[in-house]
Amino acid sequence: MTRLISAGRETVSYPDRGATARLPLPAGYNHLRHRTRVGHGRAAFEAAGTAVTTFHAHRTSGMRVRAADGAVSPGDRVVVGIGLGPLRIDAPCEVIWTAYEPARVGFAYGTLTGHPESGEESFIVEIDPDGTVWFTVTAFSRPESWYTRLAGPVIPFLQLRYARWLGRHVRRLAEAA
């Protein structure tokens, strides 16, 4: 069941709250959709789903994540550290929706004021009827700060690179199961 937090709660820095739960993505943003095959079978699906919904996958990929322990819930606040060393930028987000279903597990978070981008990103693990397990990152975003505006097309390129990198980490965690 996909659970979307109340659309009336204005805390995110963009108007299209929850748009990663439905397609098409809203106009006026850079769009990202990247799908990675991460394994096969129920054990791989459960391991990948747990890794994604507890931020274990993000942390093992090198991101610094400050979030509550356990599985994510709508309304949870998250701060993701982007960058390296003294060049690290804290990017505050809020979990917008979650999916804890028999064949689909994951969540989306949206940017809060102070995030260098404005938009939403979802991280979903799905298992096909044949047992193939997929990890999909879907996002829409646009620059919010002077330095992301200055970076121009470099930001969408880096977002795609990170989605691929995260997919490889989810695959390793699923294969370990």
Side-chain angles (χ1 to χ4, degrees), residues 15-102:
D16 302 293
R17 180 187 201 93
T20 55
R22 57 196 178 275
L23 295 175
L25 295 174
Y29 297 89
N30 295 311
H31 294 169
L32 168 70
R33 186 158 174 90
H34 181 71
R35 191 173 192 216
T36 304
R37 184 183 183 282
V38 296
H40 192 271
R42 181 61 51 182
F45 170 74
E46 291 175 4
T50 298
V52 167
T53 59
T54 61
F55 290 104
H56 183 62
H58 286 74
R59 288 181 177 110
T60 62
S61 75
M63 295 297 263
R64 183 179 66 195
V65 178
R66 291 193 312 259
D69 290 335
V72 296
S73 297
D76 286 356
R77 296 292 174 104
V78 179
V79 178
V80 179
I82 300 169
L84 299 171
L87 300 177
R88 187 173 299 272
I89 298 166
D90 284 340
C93 301
E94 180 178 312
V95 175
I96 303 301
W97 59 264
T98 58
Y100 293 101
E101 303 165 10

Side-chain angles (χ1 to χ4, degrees), residues 160-172:
L160 176 59
R161 297 272 302 169
Y162 182 68
R164 289 177 177 163
W165 178 253
L166 188 58
R168 285 193 291 274
H169 282 271
V170 172
R171 181 184 306 123
R172 285 187 201 130

Side-chain angles (χ1 to χ4, degrees), residues 1-23:
M1 173 169 141
T2 300
R3 188 170 158 219
L4 176 66
I5 193 165
S6 168
R9 187 171 166 202
E10 295 301 326
T11 58
V12 295
S13 63
Y14 60 99
D16 302 293
R17 180 187 201 93
T20 55
R22 57 196 178 275
L23 295 175

Side-chain angles (χ1 to χ4, degrees), residues 97-116:
W97 59 264
T98 58
Y100 293 101
E101 303 165 10
R104 185 171 170 263
V105 175
F107 71 96
Y109 56 40
T111 60
L112 298 173
T113 301
H115 195 291

Side-chain angles (χ1 to χ4, degrees), residues 93-155:
C93 301
E94 180 178 312
V95 175
I96 303 301
W97 59 264
T98 58
Y100 293 101
E101 303 165 10
R104 185 171 170 263
V105 175
F107 71 96
Y109 56 40
T111 60
L112 298 173
T113 301
H115 195 291
E117 289 282 298
S118 176
E120 191 172 292
E121 191 166 22
S122 69
F123 308 92
I124 298 294
V125 176
E126 296 175 289
I127 187 168
D128 287 344
D130 72 356
T132 304
V133 180
W134 297 93
F135 171 65
T136 304
V137 177
T138 303
F140 62 92
S141 64
R142 59 184 168 216
E144 184 69 15
S145 66
W146 67 268
Y147 51 89
T148 54
R149 281 191 291 279
L150 183 65
V154 172
I155 300 299

